[in-house]
């Protein structure tokens, strides 16, 4: 059976190309670390968005003018438009 499929580690001559042996259960630890990092990044982004939202809500500002308010009057009627005279130069 060993003659049917060649063993890859014996074919590779340099130590850098050989697959490093990993202790059992180490893959699960890597997956857990990646999951924790992704969760922390997500929570950090969510916290930043909440803080920005609170800041923008509290500092909305308003538009204040110091002009006197116009009294409520009937809409002005425009005077009838006169025909404009054309001047040719």
């Amino acid at each position: 059976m060993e003659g049917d499929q060649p063993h890859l580690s014996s074919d590779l001559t340099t130590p850098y190309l050989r697959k490093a042996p990993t202790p059992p259960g180490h893959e699960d630890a890597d997956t857990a670390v990646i999951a924790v990092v992704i969760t922390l990044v997500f929570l950090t982004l969510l916290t930043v968005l909440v803080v920005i939202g609170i800041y923008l809500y509290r500092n909305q500002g308003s538009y204040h003018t110091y002009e006197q308010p116009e009294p409520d009057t009937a809409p002005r009627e425009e005077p009838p438009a006169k025909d404009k005279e054309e001047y040719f130069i």
Side-chain angles (χ1 to χ4, degrees), residues 12-82:
L12 303 175
T13 57
T14 59
Y16 299 112
L17 295 177
R18 291 186 186 147
K19 183 177 179 183
T22 56
H26 190 65
E27 291 86 8
D28 295 334
D30 288 342
T31 305
V33 168
I34 291 171
V36 167
V37 168
I38 290 174
T39 303
L40 288 176
V41 168
F42 177 73
L43 288 175
T44 303
L45 289 175
L46 185 64
T47 304
V48 168
L49 287 175
V50 168
V51 168
I52 290 173
I54 291 171
Y55 173 78
L56 290 175
Y57 179 75
R58 288 190 178 184
N59 296 312
Q60 280 181 346
S62 59
Y63 182 71
H64 294 289
T65 60
Y66 296 102
E67 298 176 0
Q68 295 294 328
E70 291 186 22
D72 291 336
T73 59
R76 298 182 197 169
E77 292 183 18
E78 296 291 326
K82 297 180 181 177

Side-chain angles (χ1 to χ4, degrees), residues 2-15:
E2 289 181 14
D4 296 337
Q5 296 177 351
H7 192 59
L8 292 178
S9 64
S10 64
D11 294 339
L12 303 175
T13 57
T14 59

